[in-house]
Amino acid sequence: MHGAAPRDRLAVALDVADLARARALLDALAGSVGWFKIGAELFTAAGPQALRAARRHGRVFLDTKLHDIPNSVAAAVRAATRHGVDLLTVHAAGGLDMLKAAREAADDAASALGSPPPRLLGVTVLTSFSEPLLREVGMAGPLSAQVERLGELARRAGLDGLVTSPHEVASARRRFGEELLLVVPGVRAPGSPSDDQARSAGPGEAIRAGADLLVVGRPIVRSASPRAEAQRFVEAIGKALDAP
C-alpha cells in the first residue's frame, strides 16, 4: 500500500449489530475512507448482505479470523472469495497446514472466477493480549517473539500479510521488510480511551512504525460525527506519511 492516499490507509471497523446501522455508517463515511472492515458481529447478523453493502462504498475487509481444521478453513475461504472480499483474516496459530489450505483455496476459487484472490492476513496476537495473558494460554513470550514466530508461518504459507498490534509492528517490519502487508488494529486518537485494547497507539505512531493499513472501530463508529472523526484519523495518517 505504499504510495496509497491517506484515506486508503484507513479501514473503519463496522462493529455494529445490524445492517441498518451499518448502512447508515457507510452512507456517512462514503468517500472519506477507502476500506470497511466487517467482523464477527455484523457478519453473524447480516452475512453476505453486509459485504454487498460495504462494496458499494469502498474495499471490503472480512475479519472473521478463521481458525479451524484445514478443510473447514479452506471451505470458508472459498466462500469468502466468491463474495469478492479484498482482505480476509485467518489465525496464524492454526498452523502451517491450515494456512496453506487457506492460500490454495483462495487462489483456486479466484482462478475459477477469473478474478484476483483476496489478500490473506495472518492474525498474530490479539491487541487485547498482554504478556501475562499470553503465558496464561500457554504461549511463550515476549509478545514480539510470538508475533514473529506466527509471522514466519504466514510467510512460509504464502500469505500476503499480518495483523499485529501497534506495539509489535516495528519489529515485524524489521523482520519481514516489505514482503508482508502489515495491518494494525488497536489505533486510538491521542487522549481517547483504549477500551479493551491492551496494546494501542495513535495513528501517526503506528504509521511511522511501519503500518500499511490502520483499523479503527469504536472511536469512529461511536462518534457523534463519524465522518469528522474519520477525517481526523486520515489527516493524522497524512501528516505521518509526509514527515521526513
Coordinates of all heavy atoms in Angstrom, one line a residue, residues 125-191:
V125 N -1.1 -11.9 17.4 CA -1.5 -11.9 18.8 C -2.6 -10.8 18.9 O -2.3 -9.6 18.5 CB -0.3 -11.6 19.7 CG1 -0.8 -11.5 21.1 CG2 0.7 -12.7 19.5
L126 N -3.7 -11.1 19.4 CA -4.8 -10.1 19.5 C -4.4 -8.9 20.4 O -3.6 -9.0 21.3 CB -6.0 -10.8 20.2 CG -6.7 -11.9 19.4 CD1 -7.8 -12.5 20.2 CD2 -7.2 -11.5 18.0
T127 N -4.9 -7.7 20.0 CA -4.5 -6.5 20.7 C -4.9 -6.5 22.1 O -4.5 -5.6 22.9 CB -5.0 -5.3 19.9 OG1 -6.4 -5.4 19.7 CG2 -4.3 -5.1 18.6
S128 N -5.9 -7.3 22.5 CA -6.3 -7.4 23.9 C -5.4 -8.2 24.8 O -5.5 -8.1 26.0 CB -7.7 -8.0 24.0 OG -7.7 -9.3 23.4
F129 N -4.4 -8.8 24.2 CA -3.5 -9.7 25.0 C -2.4 -8.8 25.6 O -1.9 -7.8 25.0 CB -2.8 -10.7 24.1 CG -3.5 -12.0 24.0 CD1 -4.9 -12.1 23.7 CD2 -2.9 -13.2 24.4 CE1 -5.5 -13.3 23.6 CE2 -3.5 -14.4 24.3 CZ -4.9 -14.5 24.0
S130 N -2.0 -9.3 26.8 CA -0.8 -8.8 27.5 C 0.2 -9.9 27.7 O -0.2 -11.1 27.4 CB -1.2 -8.2 28.8 OG -1.8 -9.2 29.6
E131 N 1.4 -9.6 28.2 CA 2.3 -10.7 28.5 C 1.7 -11.7 29.4 O 1.9 -13.0 29.2 CB 3.6 -10.1 29.0 CG 4.4 -9.2 28.1 CD 5.3 -10.0 27.1 OE1 5.3 -11.2 27.2 OE2 5.9 -9.4 26.3
P132 N 1.1 -11.4 30.6 CA 0.6 -12.4 31.5 C -0.5 -13.2 30.8 O -0.6 -14.5 31.0 CB 0.0 -11.6 32.6 CG 0.7 -10.3 32.6 CD 1.0 -10.0 31.2
L133 N -1.4 -12.6 30.0 CA -2.4 -13.4 29.3 C -1.8 -14.4 28.3 O -2.3 -15.5 28.1 CB -3.4 -12.5 28.6 CG -4.6 -13.1 28.0 CD1 -5.3 -14.1 29.0 CD2 -5.6 -12.1 27.4
L134 N -0.7 -14.0 27.6 CA 0.0 -14.8 26.7 C 0.5 -16.1 27.4 O 0.3 -17.2 27.0 CB 1.2 -14.1 26.0 CG 1.8 -14.8 24.8 CD1 0.8 -14.7 23.6 CD2 3.1 -14.1 24.4
R135 N 1.0 -15.9 28.6 CA 1.5 -17.0 29.4 C 0.3 -17.9 29.9 O 0.4 -19.1 30.0 CB 2.3 -16.5 30.6 CG 3.7 -15.9 30.2 CD 4.6 -15.7 31.4 NE 4.0 -14.8 32.3 CZ 4.3 -13.4 32.3 NH1 5.0 -12.9 31.3 NH2 3.7 -12.6 33.1
E136 N -0.8 -17.2 30.2 CA -1.9 -17.9 30.7 C -2.5 -19.0 29.8 O -2.9 -20.0 30.2 CB -3.0 -16.9 31.1 CG -4.3 -17.5 31.6 CD -5.3 -16.4 31.9 OE1 -5.0 -15.5 32.7 OE2 -6.4 -16.4 31.3
V137 N -2.4 -18.7 28.4 CA -2.9 -19.6 27.4 C -1.7 -20.5 26.9 O -1.9 -21.2 25.9 CB -3.6 -18.9 26.3 CG1 -4.8 -18.1 26.8 CG2 -2.6 -17.9 25.5
G138 N -0.6 -20.5 27.6 CA 0.5 -21.4 27.3 C 1.4 -21.1 26.1 O 2.1 -21.9 25.6
M139 N 1.4 -19.8 25.8 CA 2.3 -19.3 24.7 C 3.5 -18.7 25.3 O 3.4 -18.0 26.3 CB 1.6 -18.3 23.8 CG 0.4 -18.9 23.0 SD -0.4 -17.6 22.0 CE -1.8 -18.6 21.4
A140 N 4.6 -18.9 24.7 CA 5.9 -18.3 25.1 C 6.0 -16.9 24.7 O 5.8 -16.6 23.5 CB 7.1 -19.2 24.6
G141 N 6.5 -16.0 25.6 CA 6.7 -14.6 25.3 C 8.1 -14.4 24.8 O 8.9 -15.3 24.7
P142 N 8.5 -13.1 24.7 CA 7.7 -12.0 24.7 C 6.7 -11.8 23.5 O 6.8 -12.6 22.6 CB 8.7 -10.8 24.7 CG 9.9 -11.4 24.0 CD 9.9 -12.8 24.3
L143 N 5.8 -10.9 23.6 CA 4.8 -10.7 22.6 C 5.4 -10.6 21.2 O 5.0 -11.1 20.2 CB 3.9 -9.5 22.9 CG 2.9 -9.7 24.0 CD1 2.4 -8.4 24.5 CD2 1.7 -10.5 23.5
S144 N 6.5 -9.8 21.1 CA 7.1 -9.5 19.8 C 7.7 -10.8 19.2 O 7.6 -11.1 18.0 CB 8.2 -8.5 19.9 OG 9.2 -8.9 20.8
A145 N 8.2 -11.7 20.1 CA 8.7 -13.0 19.6 C 7.6 -13.9 19.1 O 7.7 -14.6 18.0 CB 9.5 -13.7 20.7
Q146 N 6.4 -13.9 19.7 CA 5.3 -14.7 19.3 C 4.8 -14.1 17.9 O 4.4 -14.9 17.0 CB 4.2 -14.6 20.3 CG 2.9 -15.4 20.0 CD 3.1 -16.9 19.9 OE1 4.2 -17.4 20.2 NE2 2.1 -17.6 19.6
V147 N 4.7 -12.8 17.8 CA 4.3 -12.2 16.5 C 5.2 -12.7 15.4 O 4.8 -13.0 14.3 CB 4.3 -10.7 16.6 CG1 4.1 -10.0 15.3 CG2 3.1 -10.2 17.5
E148 N 6.5 -12.7 15.7 CA 7.5 -13.0 14.6 C 7.4 -14.5 14.3 O 7.5 -14.9 13.1 CB 8.9 -12.6 15.0 CG 9.1 -11.1 15.0 CD 10.5 -10.7 15.4 OE1 11.4 -11.5 15.2 OE2 10.6 -9.5 15.9
R149 N 7.2 -15.4 15.3 CA 7.0 -16.8 15.1 C 5.8 -17.1 14.2 O 5.9 -17.8 13.2 CB 6.8 -17.6 16.4 CG 8.1 -17.9 17.1 CD 7.9 -19.0 18.2 NE 7.0 -18.4 19.3 CZ 7.5 -17.8 20.4 NH1 8.8 -17.7 20.5 NH2 6.7 -17.4 21.3
L150 N 4.7 -16.5 14.5 CA 3.5 -16.7 13.7 C 3.6 -16.0 12.4 O 3.1 -16.5 11.4 CB 2.3 -16.2 14.5 CG 1.9 -17.0 15.8 CD1 0.8 -16.3 16.5 CD2 1.6 -18.4 15.4
G151 N 4.3 -14.9 12.3 CA 4.5 -14.2 11.0 C 5.3 -15.1 10.1 O 5.1 -15.1 8.9
E152 N 6.3 -15.8 10.6 CA 7.1 -16.6 9.8 C 6.3 -17.8 9.2 O 6.4 -18.2 8.0 CB 8.3 -17.2 10.6 CG 9.2 -18.1 9.8 CD 9.9 -17.4 8.6 OE1 10.0 -16.1 8.7 OE2 10.2 -18.1 7.7
L153 N 5.3 -18.3 10.0 CA 4.4 -19.4 9.5 C 3.6 -18.8 8.3 O 3.4 -19.5 7.3 CB 3.5 -19.9 10.6 CG 4.1 -20.9 11.6 CD1 2.9 -21.3 12.6 CD2 4.6 -22.1 10.9
A154 N 3.1 -17.6 8.5 CA 2.2 -17.0 7.5 C 3.1 -16.7 6.2 O 2.6 -17.0 5.1 CB 1.7 -15.7 8.0
R155 N 4.3 -16.3 6.4 CA 5.1 -16.1 5.2 C 5.4 -17.4 4.5 O 5.3 -17.4 3.2 CB 6.5 -15.4 5.7 CG 7.4 -15.0 4.5 CD 8.8 -14.7 5.0 NE 9.4 -16.0 5.5 CZ 9.9 -16.9 4.7 NH1 9.8 -16.9 3.4 NH2 10.4 -18.0 5.3
R156 N 5.7 -18.4 5.2 CA 6.0 -19.7 4.6 C 4.8 -20.3 3.9 O 4.9 -21.0 2.8 CB 6.5 -20.7 5.7 CG 7.9 -20.4 6.2 CD 8.2 -21.3 7.4 NE 8.1 -22.8 7.1 CZ 8.0 -23.7 8.0 NH1 8.0 -23.4 9.3 NH2 7.8 -25.0 7.6
A157 N 3.6 -19.9 4.4 CA 2.4 -20.4 3.7 C 2.0 -19.6 2.5 O 1.0 -20.0 1.8 CB 1.3 -20.5 4.7
G158 N 2.7 -18.5 2.3 CA 2.3 -17.7 1.1 C 1.2 -16.7 1.4 O 0.7 -16.1 0.4
L159 N 1.0 -16.4 2.7 CA 0.0 -15.3 3.0 C 0.6 -14.0 2.6 O 1.8 -13.8 2.4 CB -0.4 -15.3 4.4 CG -1.6 -16.2 4.8 CD1 -1.4 -17.7 4.4 CD2 -2.0 -16.1 6.3
D160 N -0.3 -13.0 2.5 CA 0.1 -11.7 2.0 C 0.5 -10.7 3.1 O 1.1 -9.7 2.8 CB -1.1 -11.1 1.2 CG -1.5 -11.9 0.0 OD1 -0.8 -12.0 -1.0 OD2 -2.5 -12.6 0.1
G161 N 0.0 -11.0 4.3 CA 0.3 -10.0 5.4 C 0.0 -10.5 6.7 O -0.4 -11.7 6.9
L162 N 0.1 -9.6 7.7 CA -0.1 -10.0 9.1 C -1.0 -8.9 9.7 O -1.0 -7.8 9.3 CB 1.2 -10.0 9.9 CG 2.3 -10.9 9.4 CD1 3.6 -10.7 10.3 CD2 1.9 -12.3 9.4
V163 N -1.7 -9.3 10.8 CA -2.4 -8.4 11.7 C -1.6 -8.4 13.0 O -1.4 -9.4 13.6 CB -3.8 -8.8 11.9 CG1 -4.5 -7.8 12.9 CG2 -4.6 -8.9 10.6
T164 N -1.2 -7.2 13.4 CA -0.4 -7.1 14.6 C -0.7 -5.8 15.3 O -1.1 -4.8 14.6 CB 1.1 -7.2 14.3 OG1 1.9 -7.2 15.5 CG2 1.6 -6.1 13.4
S165 N -0.4 -5.7 16.6 CA -0.7 -4.5 17.3 C 0.3 -3.4 17.0 O 1.4 -3.7 16.5 CB -0.7 -4.8 18.8 OG 0.6 -4.5 19.4
P166 N 0.0 -2.2 17.3 CA 1.0 -1.1 17.1 C 2.3 -1.3 17.8 O 3.3 -0.8 17.4 CB 0.3 0.1 17.6 CG -1.2 -0.2 17.6 CD -1.3 -1.7 17.9
H167 N 2.3 -2.1 18.9 CA 3.5 -2.3 19.7 C 4.5 -3.2 19.0 O 5.7 -3.2 19.3 CB 3.2 -2.8 21.1 CG 2.5 -1.8 21.9 ND1 2.4 -1.9 23.3 CD2 1.8 -0.7 21.6 CE1 1.8 -0.8 23.8 NE2 1.3 -0.1 22.8
E168 N 4.0 -4.1 18.2 CA 4.9 -5.1 17.5 C 5.1 -4.8 16.0 O 5.9 -5.5 15.4 CB 4.4 -6.5 17.7 CG 4.4 -7.1 19.1 CD 3.3 -6.5 20.0 OE1 2.2 -6.5 19.5 OE2 3.6 -6.1 21.1
V169 N 4.5 -3.8 15.5 CA 4.6 -3.5 14.1 C 6.0 -3.2 13.6 O 6.5 -3.6 12.6 CB 3.6 -2.5 13.6 CG1 3.9 -1.1 14.1 CG2 3.5 -2.4 12.1
A170 N 6.7 -2.4 14.4 CA 8.1 -2.1 14.1 C 9.0 -3.3 14.0 O 9.8 -3.4 13.0 CB 8.7 -1.0 15.0
S171 N 8.9 -4.2 15.0 CA 9.8 -5.4 14.9 C 9.4 -6.3 13.8 O 10.2 -6.9 13.1 CB 9.7 -6.1 16.3 OG 8.4 -6.6 16.5
A172 N 8.1 -6.4 13.5 CA 7.6 -7.2 12.3 C 8.1 -6.6 11.0 O 8.5 -7.3 10.1 CB 6.1 -7.3 12.3
R173 N 8.1 -5.3 10.9 CA 8.6 -4.6 9.7 C 10.1 -4.9 9.5 O 10.6 -5.2 8.4 CB 8.4 -3.1 9.7 CG 8.8 -2.4 8.5 CD 8.1 -2.9 7.3 NE 6.7 -2.4 7.2 CZ 5.8 -3.0 6.4 NH1 6.1 -4.0 5.7 NH2 4.6 -2.5 6.4
R174 N 10.9 -4.9 10.6 CA 12.3 -5.2 10.5 C 12.5 -6.6 10.1 O 13.4 -6.9 9.3 CB 13.0 -4.9 11.9 CG 13.1 -3.4 12.2 CD 14.1 -3.2 13.4 NE 13.5 -3.8 14.6 CZ 12.8 -3.2 15.5 NH1 12.4 -1.9 15.3 NH2 12.3 -3.8 16.6
R175 N 11.7 -7.5 10.7 CA 11.9 -9.0 10.4 C 11.5 -9.3 9.0 O 12.2 -10.1 8.3 CB 11.0 -9.8 11.4 CG 11.0 -11.3 11.1 CD 12.3 -12.0 11.3 NE 12.2 -13.4 11.1 CZ 11.9 -14.3 12.0 NH1 11.6 -13.9 13.2 NH2 11.8 -15.6 11.7
F176 N 10.4 -8.7 8.5 CA 9.9 -9.2 7.2 C 10.0 -8.2 6.1 O 9.7 -8.4 4.9 CB 8.4 -9.5 7.3 CG 8.1 -10.6 8.3 CD1 7.6 -10.4 9.6 CD2 8.5 -11.9 8.0 CE1 7.4 -11.4 10.5 CE2 8.3 -13.0 9.0 CZ 7.7 -12.7 10.2
G177 N 10.6 -7.0 6.4 CA 10.8 -6.0 5.4 C 9.5 -5.6 4.7 O 8.5 -5.5 5.4
E178 N 9.6 -5.4 3.4 CA 8.4 -5.0 2.6 C 7.6 -6.3 2.1 O 6.7 -6.1 1.3 CB 8.8 -4.1 1.5 CG 9.5 -2.8 1.9 CD 8.6 -2.0 2.9 OE1 7.4 -2.0 2.7 OE2 9.2 -1.5 3.8
E179 N 8.1 -7.5 2.5 CA 7.5 -8.7 1.9 C 6.0 -8.9 2.3 O 5.2 -9.4 1.6 CB 8.3 -9.9 2.4 CG 7.8 -11.2 1.8 CD 8.7 -12.4 2.2 OE1 9.7 -12.1 3.0 OE2 8.4 -13.5 1.8
L180 N 5.7 -8.4 3.6 CA 4.3 -8.6 4.1 C 3.6 -7.3 4.3 O 4.2 -6.4 4.8 CB 4.4 -9.5 5.4 CG 4.9 -10.9 5.2 CD1 5.0 -11.6 6.6 CD2 4.1 -11.7 4.3
L181 N 2.3 -7.3 4.0 CA 1.5 -6.2 4.4 C 1.2 -6.2 5.9 O 0.9 -7.3 6.4 CB 0.1 -6.4 3.6 CG -1.0 -5.3 3.8 CD1 -0.6 -4.1 3.1 CD2 -2.3 -5.9 3.2
L182 N 1.3 -5.1 6.5 CA 1.1 -5.1 8.0 C -0.1 -4.2 8.3 O -0.2 -3.0 8.0 CB 2.3 -4.5 8.7 CG 3.6 -5.3 8.5 CD1 4.8 -4.6 9.3 CD2 3.5 -6.7 8.9
V183 N -1.1 -4.9 8.8 CA -2.4 -4.3 9.2 C -2.5 -4.2 10.7 O -2.3 -5.2 11.4 CB -3.6 -5.1 8.6 CG1 -4.9 -4.6 9.0 CG2 -3.5 -5.2 7.1
V184 N -2.8 -3.0 11.2 CA -2.7 -2.7 12.6 C -4.0 -2.2 13.2 O -4.5 -1.1 12.8 CB -1.6 -1.6 12.8 CG1 -1.5 -1.3 14.3 CG2 -0.3 -2.2 12.3
P185 N -4.7 -3.0 14.0 CA -5.8 -2.5 14.8 C -5.3 -1.9 16.1 O -4.1 -1.7 16.3 CB -6.6 -3.8 15.0 CG -5.5 -4.9 15.1 CD -4.4 -4.4 14.2
G186 N -6.2 -1.6 17.0 CA -5.9 -1.0 18.3 C -5.4 0.4 18.2 O -4.6 0.8 19.0
V187 N -5.8 1.1 17.2 CA -5.4 2.5 16.9 C -6.4 3.5 17.6 O -7.6 3.3 17.4 CB -5.2 2.8 15.4 CG1 -4.8 4.3 15.2 CG2 -4.2 1.9 14.8
R188 N -5.9 4.4 18.4 CA -6.7 5.3 19.1 C -6.2 6.8 18.9 O -4.9 6.9 18.8 CB -6.8 5.0 20.6 CG -7.4 3.7 20.9 CD -8.9 3.8 20.6 NE -9.7 2.6 21.0 CZ -10.0 1.6 20.3 NH1 -9.5 1.6 19.0 NH2 -10.7 0.6 20.7
A189 N -7.1 7.7 18.9 CA -6.6 9.1 18.8 C -6.0 9.5 20.2 O -6.4 8.9 21.2 CB -7.8 10.0 18.5
P190 N -5.0 10.4 20.2 CA -4.3 10.8 21.4 C -5.4 11.3 22.4 O -6.3 12.1 22.1 CB -3.4 11.9 21.0 CG -3.1 11.6 19.6 CD -4.3 11.0 19.0
G191 N -5.3 10.7 23.6 CA -6.2 11.2 24.7 C -7.5 10.4 24.8 O -8.3 10.6 25.7

